[in-house]
């Protein structure tokens, strides 16, 4: 059976169908996997035709995919990713831009663009993505889905094309909170939630977005206050988000070049100019810049560890606004990306889990708010998402 690709979310080489094990907890469900996850016997394309042409079929299936198949879910296609996952837009010059089913004139977000499109458009029940700098959280915000970036290291990354090892995490998208937790039961094991403590509202993160975004999110903040109870208003970053963002970019760029620089130098692949530029900037990161960035990262980790207690729920906007229109260019695009990354980089720098809650709208388009917690508090967040959905 050929894939239904009316949304342009499946990659041309991704027409893969593997039935799940009968009788499992996810039997009867279909999922898709971002084209960074290995499937035995198939070449993982990583969003770039030259990568596809220069790599052999995988000899094993990524354990995250295998666990879902063992649990009974059927793999229903590989989905488009931005090239080597190095973008948050959802635009791929080789394979196209998957449709944002919630707002078709707007970008789906990347780099898990195909996965978010397939779920939002109802073609699968859930889909695997990855999140390095926001690649689950931003698409979930843009398309009105639940999405989780798991604690760094919580889910094994074997059989996964890397981007930046110390940031890369496995995540997934669903249309409802219960499904988000059902997938978590397979990938993370039995529920082990902490009771929620305080709702910690990062006021400086809300200051990073426009007044219209704050107004649209305020009713959701009130819902969270009612659900969690005690609340505490904090400045998440007393220093500078510019400094946190620079540290994120330097470490990510360096690690991305370490992962793929040799292949890029040898193959000279055809890449979108902005992707090629990011890799080239990573190549140029100096030892001094890297050391400074690592020091900023350590300070950020210490700040979060001092600020949050076990059970605390950190609340912040997921992104700087709704999905941008497809034709946004130039200065507007740069400003949007920088504002967005300032909101997504804290979790990457500190290894936090973060869940997008698709509970608001602005200008008729989805707008997400995020809950996060100390590393390892993934189940607390999934349980709270379910509680809010049931309210």
């Amino acid at each position: 059976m050929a894939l239904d690709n009316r949304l342009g979310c499946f990659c041309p080489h991704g027409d893969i169908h593997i039935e799940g094990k009968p009788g499992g907890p996810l039997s009867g469900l279909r999922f898709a996997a971002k084209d960074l996850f290995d499937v035995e016997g198939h070449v993982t394309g990583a969003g770039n035709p030259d990568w596809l042409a220069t790599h052999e079929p995988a000899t094993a299936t990524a354990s995250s995919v295998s666990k879902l198949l063992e649990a009974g879910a059927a793999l229903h296609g590989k989905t488009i990713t931005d090239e080597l996952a190095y973008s948050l837009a959802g635009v791929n010059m080789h394979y196209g831009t998957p449709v944002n089913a919630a707002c078709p004139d707007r970008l789906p977000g990347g780099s898990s663009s195909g996965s978010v499109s397939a779920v939002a458009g109802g073609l699968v029940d859930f889909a695997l993505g990855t999140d390095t700098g926001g690649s689950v959280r931003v698409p979930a915000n843009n398309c009105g889905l639940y999405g989780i970036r798991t604690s760094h290291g919580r889910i094994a990354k074997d059989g996964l094309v890397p981007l930046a090892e110390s940031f890369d995490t496995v995540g997934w998208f669903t249309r409802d909170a219960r499904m988000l937790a059902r997938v978590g039961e397979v990938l993370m094991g039995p529920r082990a939630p902490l009771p929620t403590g305080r709702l910690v509202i990062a006021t400086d993160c809300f200051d990073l977005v426009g007044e219209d975004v704050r107004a649209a999110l305020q009713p959701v903040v009130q819902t969270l206050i009612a659900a969690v109870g005690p609340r505490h208003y904090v400045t998440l970053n007393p220093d500078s988000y510019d400094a946190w963002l620079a540290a994120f970019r330097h470490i990510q760029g360096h690690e991305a070049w370490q992962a793929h620089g040799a292949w890029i130098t040898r193959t000279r692949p055809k890449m979108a100019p902005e992707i090629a530029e990011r890799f080239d900037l990573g190549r140029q990161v100096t030892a001094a810049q890297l050391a400074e960035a690592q020091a900023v990262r350590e300070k950020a980790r210490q700040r979060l560890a001092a600020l949050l207690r076990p059970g605390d729920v950190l609340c912040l906007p997921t992104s700087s606004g709704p999905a941008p229109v497809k034709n946004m260019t130039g200065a507007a695009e740069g400003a949007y990306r920088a504002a967005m990354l300032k909101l997504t980089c804290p979790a990457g720098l500190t290894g936090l889990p973060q869940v997008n809650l698709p509970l608001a709208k602005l200008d008729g388009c989805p707008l997400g708010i995020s809950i996060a917690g100390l590393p390892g508090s993934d189940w607390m967040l999934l349980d709270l998402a379910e509680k809010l959905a049931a309210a």
Side-chain angles (χ1 to χ4, degrees):
M1 180 180 66
L3 289 169
D4 176 356
N5 201 21
R6 63 182 183 273
L7 301 176
C9 54
F10 296 109
C11 44
H13 51 279
D15 195 353
I16 299 170
H17 301 266
I18 303 175
E19 290 300 317
K21 185 177 180 179
L26 300 181
S27 289
L29 300 178
R30 299 195 302 182
F31 76 101
K34 184 177 184 177
D35 196 25
L36 298 182
F37 291 86
D38 283 350
V39 175
E40 183 179 0
H42 300 270
V43 180
T44 302
N48 182 276
D50 289 319
W51 182 278
L52 185 72
T54 56
H55 286 78
E56 297 297 319
T59 58
T61 297
S63 62
S64 47
V65 175
S66 294
K67 284 182 178 181
L68 295 170
L69 292 168
E70 281 292 309
L75 178 62
H76 189 72
K78 296 286 288 294
T79 55
I80 290 174
T81 172
D82 294 13
E83 291 180 75
L84 291 167
Y86 214 167
S87 176
L88 289 170
V91 176
N92 187 305
M93 64 175 275
H94 309 287
Y95 301 124
T97 302
V99 173
N100 178 342
C103 290
D105 61 333
R106 295 178 180 246
L107 293 173
S111 60
S112 306
S113 56
S115 289
V116 77
S117 175
V119 177
L123 302 182
V124 293
D125 298 292
F126 64 92
L128 286 174
T130 62
D131 190 307
T132 302
S135 289
V136 167
R137 292 165 287 162
V138 171
N141 171 84
N142 288 5
C143 297
L145 295 182
Y146 288 88
I148 181 170
R149 169 203 165 88
T150 53
S151 297
H152 188 262
R154 181 68 185 261
I155 296 177
K157 295 179 287 187
D158 61 286
L160 184 65
V161 177
L163 175 59
E165 192 281 329
S166 72
F167 297 100
D168 294 344
T169 60
V170 174
W172 58 94
F173 302 98
T174 65
R175 293 186 293 275
D176 64 80
R178 175 67 189 120
M179 183 68 71
L180 198 73
R182 288 179 67 186
V183 176
E185 288 167 350
V186 171
L187 293 179
M188 298 194 304
R191 292 175 182 249
L194 290 167
T196 56
R198 304 173 300 168
L199 181 68
V200 178
I201 300 170
T203 56
D204 54 333
C205 290
F206 283 90
D207 289 340
L208 292 173
V209 303
E211 185 177 348
D212 56 343
V213 174
R214 290 196 296 273
L217 293 178
Q218 188 56 36
V220 188
V221 174
Q222 294 303 315
T223 299
L224 281 164
I225 289 172
V228 177
R231 60 188 183 275
H232 184 52
Y233 295 91
V234 302
T235 297
L236 183 68
N237 179 4
D239 299 321
S240 163
Y241 279 99
D242 288 331
W244 279 22
L245 178 54
F248 168 80
R249 282 175 161 163
H250 281 143
I251 299 169
Q252 181 194 43
H254 170 77
E255 291 182 358
W257 185 255
Q258 293 302 305
H260 300 305
W263 175 79
I264 291 171
T265 301
R266 180 176 66 253
T267 307
R268 300 179 63 84
K270 183 179 181 181
M271 285 183 168
E274 64 274 15
I275 305 292
E277 180 183 22
R278 286 171 200 144
F279 276 109
D280 193 53
L281 289 172
R283 178 183 62 83
Q284 298 177 59
V285 173
T286 66
Q289 287 174 322
L290 186 61
E292 181 181 356
Q294 295 287 15
V296 171
R297 183 181 214 176
E298 181 56 32
K299 190 174 181 181
R301 286 174 169 167
Q302 291 174 3
R303 172 63 178 168
L304 268 293
L307 195 65
L308 297 178
R309 307 169 185 168
D312 280 352
V313 179
L314 180 66
C315 172
L316 69 161
T318 299
S319 187
S320 53
V325 295
K326 288 182 178 179
N327 60 358
M328 185 174 67
T329 57
E333 182 179 18
Y336 164 79
R337 180 177 170 81
M340 177 175 57
L341 282 168
K342 287 176 183 178
L343 289 165
T344 61
C345 73
L349 287 170
T350 60
L352 304 184
Q354 187 172 333
V355 170
N356 179 67
L357 305 174
L359 302 180
K361 283 197 170 186
L362 181 60
D363 298 330
C365 291
L367 180 67
I369 197 166
S370 274
I371 50 175
L374 288 171
S377 63
D378 308 62
W379 269 120
M380 177 189 72
L381 303 178
L382 294 177
D383 272 16
L384 179 56
E386 277 197 280
K387 178 181 177 181
L388 292 167

